Structures are given as C-alpha cells and as structure tokens.
Amino acid sequence: MEELLVRSADRGAVRTLTLNRPKALNSFTGAMHGELMAALEAAACDARVRCVVLTGSGRGFCAGQDLADPSVAPQGDSRDEPPDVGNAIERYYRPLALRLRSMPVPVVAAVNGVAAGAGANAALCCDIVVAARSASFIQAFSKIGLVPDCGGTWLLPRLVGRGHAIALAMLGEKLSGEDAAASGLIWKCIDDAAFPAEVDALADRLASLPTKALAATRAAIDAAISLSFAESLGNEADVQRTLGRANDFAEGVAAFMAKRAPSFSDR
Ligand code: T3D
C-alpha cells in the first residue's frame, strides 16, 4: 500500500497531522500539498477535533518547497520559458497559509527538526509554535533568489520586528530553536527528550479551552494589526457581543462561581 504523505492520528480531541516525506525532510510536493489541505479541511469540519498539531516525521519538520518536484519547481515549466513561480504560490502556498490562519480550532506547530523556506513559514502561520531544542529555522529563500513566501513577509516583521526580519530573510542563517524562542519568533523551545510529552500537554490544554473564543481571539488580534486603537475597541465589543451569547461564556462563568472546572463545548 502507498504511504500517506500526511499522516493523521487522533488522541482524544487532538488531531496530529504529520508531514511524511522524511527522506526529503518533508519538503512540499504538489501531492503533499493536496493531502495536507484535505487533512486540514477534514479537521476543520470534524466537531470532535478541538486542537490540531502539525509536525514532521523523521529528523526534519519541513524543508519548504521540494526543489525537485516537477509539478511545482522550475524544472516543471517549459525549458524555453522562464518558470512562473507565482503559480505555485497562488495554487499551493497562499491557500495553505490562509487555511492555517482561519482554522476553527487552535493549531500548534510542533517543530521537531529543521524548518526551512515555506516549511518555516507554514509553522509560523500556526497559532502556537514550539520547537525541540535541536530544531532550527531557516529563511532559505534568498539562497535561491526568492523572497520569503507562505506569509513570511507579513509574519516575520510582526514577530521579530523589521530589523531582525530583514536580517533573517536576507542572510538565510540557521536560527536554533533556542534563539527562535528568545527572539520572539516562536513561543517556546523544549528539550528534545521532553518534546513529545510537552506537545501533548499543550495540545490537551488548548483542546480543553473554549474553542470558539480561541478562534475569535486569533481573528481579533490579526484584525487589530490593521485597525486603529479606537477601531479595535469597536471590534472587541462586536466580538464579545457574539461570544457573550454563546454557551461557553455561560459555562465559564457558572464554573467559576461553582468553583469547578469548566466543560466547554462550543466550536
Ligand atoms: O515553486 C517554487 O519553487 C516556489 C515555492 C517556494 C517555497 C520555498 O519553500 S523556497 C525554499 C525551498 N527550500 C530550500 O531552499 C531548502 C533546501 N534545503 C536545505 O537548505 C537543506 O536541506 C536544509 C538546511 C533544510 C537541511 O540541511 P541538512 O544538511 O540537514 O540536510 P540535507 O542533506 O541538505 O538534506 C537531506 C535530504 O533532503 C537530501 O537528500 P539526499 O541527498 O539525502 O537524497 C536533500 O536533497 C533533501 N532535501 C532537503 N531539502 C529539500 C530536499 N529535497 C528537495 N527539496 C528540498 N527543499
């Protein structure tokens, strides 16, 4: 039987999607993009799923575009004409970045090894990024004459500031998991031995929180980036109006008053 390029496994309300081309450091082919988008769609539509974890098999997380894949890489175009790399971005990376940023549940990137190019930026599209101490992040684009894609030009300056963003993108240096956490690029760096258990604990914790409010939190923070302060206050009022009518708000307050743990169910 043919091996899946994206493996999916459930543990309670947590769905783990594992990029599965370890020999090529889980770099993206057209086929892997197809499986990943289908898996994300399935997770988004499955009411049992309250947190998604994205990780890689073997020693890498994802080395970005598979530079040998004829369906996406320059060699796939006619040899007489220059490649239209924009097509691959429109067809694969833009939908992937938008899908990750609009999931109805929190998404954790569990960066188990090297994350390069669009692999690094796909991780940064996720809500919470944790990395094993041995993992690394590389904006590999300048080495092959491209700019950061899969949301990189938008995400990097917002995560680490313009100066660090430009240096990371221009120099394409390898950033260790520890330095990525220290610079604010990611949430946390975790010792390799503790990584699987800590990822599970983080995902379980997210799955137990009010899913609908978490998705609304991401959307409100993203919206605020392009709003004035006064506009963002208005947006907060609108979002709270909606959430205030949802079951989870009533449950959260009731649980607090009764001094018991809440059991959230909205999605
Ligand atoms: O269509 C378009 O092109 C537009 C889309 C662009 C989006 C992008 O992501 S552009 C950026 C593409 N990615 C890269 O440029 C990264 C290329 N890879 C590397 O620089 C290095 O492999 C790493 C720094 C990630 C890891 O280095 P290292 O020394 O740990 O491993 P390695 O030996 O280089 O790689 C191991 C194997 O994976 C090797 O295969 P082999 O020799 O054992 O058969 C290598 O060729 C393969 N591999 C790694 N990255 C890619 C890859 N094969 C195809 N594409 C890759 N991106």
Side-chain angles (χ1 to χ4, degrees):
M1 211 170 73
E2 215 169 294
E3 194 79 89
L4 290 172
L5 302 175
V6 178
R7 292 200 314 258
S8 177
D10 287 355
R11 192 182 47 77
V14 176
R15 179 160 299 174
T16 298
L17 303 180
T18 305
L19 306 177
N20 189 33
R21 300 187 63 241
K23 285 185 186 152
L25 299 180
N26 306 315
S27 51
F28 283 112
T29 57
M32 194 172 90
H33 273 294
E35 287 191 26
L36 180 57
M37 285 300 279
L40 288 169
E41 208 56 50
C45 295
D46 189 334
R48 294 166 302 180
V49 176
R50 297 178 67 82
C51 177
V52 167
V53 176
L54 182 63
T55 192
S57 66
R59 74 175 177 92
F61 173 76
C62 175
Q65 171 59 41
D66 183 324
L67 297 172
D69 180 14
S71 77
V72 183
Q75 300 94 310
D77 288 51
S78 154
R79 283 165 202 275
D80 300 332
E81 289 181 29
D84 186 344
V85 179
N87 278 346
I89 305 303
E90 291 287 1
R91 183 169 176 195
Y92 295 113
Y93 292 101
R94 186 179 182 192
L96 173 62
L98 290 172
R99 177 71 279 190
L100 288 169
R101 301 281 291 190
S102 62
M103 289 290 284
V105 300
V107 185
V108 174
V111 180
N112 53 301
V114 64
N121 294 339
L124 299 180
C125 284
C126 297
D127 295 313
I128 297 187
V129 188
V130 292
R133 197 163 295 281
S134 62
S136 54
F137 295 80
I138 310 175
Q139 293 294 320
F141 305 91
S142 65
K143 294 181 182 168
I144 56 169
L146 296 178
V147 299
D149 58 30
C150 200
T153 57
W154 192 92
L155 291 162
L156 290 171
R158 285 167 171 82
L159 290 166
V160 296
R162 181 181 180 277
H164 276 71
I166 289 184
L168 285 174
M170 285 189 175
L171 300 173
E173 282 180 10
K174 190 183 273 198
L175 198 63
S176 68
E178 199 166 335
D179 287 346
S183 68
L185 188 73
I186 66 166
W187 172 239
K188 217 180 238 187
C189 168
I190 299 166
D191 285 337
D192 287 24
F195 191 64
E198 284 208 30
V199 168
D200 283 356
L202 172 64
D204 285 345
R205 188 169 153 209
L206 285 165
S208 75
L209 291 169
T211 307
K212 200 175 193 155
L214 300 190
T217 297
R218 177 211 298 130
I221 287 177
D222 283 351
I225 286 169
S226 56
L227 294 178
S228 69
F229 184 60
E231 286 166 337
S232 70
L233 292 174
N235 188 47
E236 287 171 8
D238 290 343
V239 178
Q240 298 297 51
R241 188 167 294 117
T242 304
L243 292 175
R245 294 186 184 118
N247 293 331
D248 281 352
F249 177 55
E251 166 61 9
V253 174
F256 175 78
M257 298 307 288
K259 298 189 187 302
R260 63 170 170 81
S263 173
F264 295 115
S265 57
D266 285 334
R267 190 176 184 274

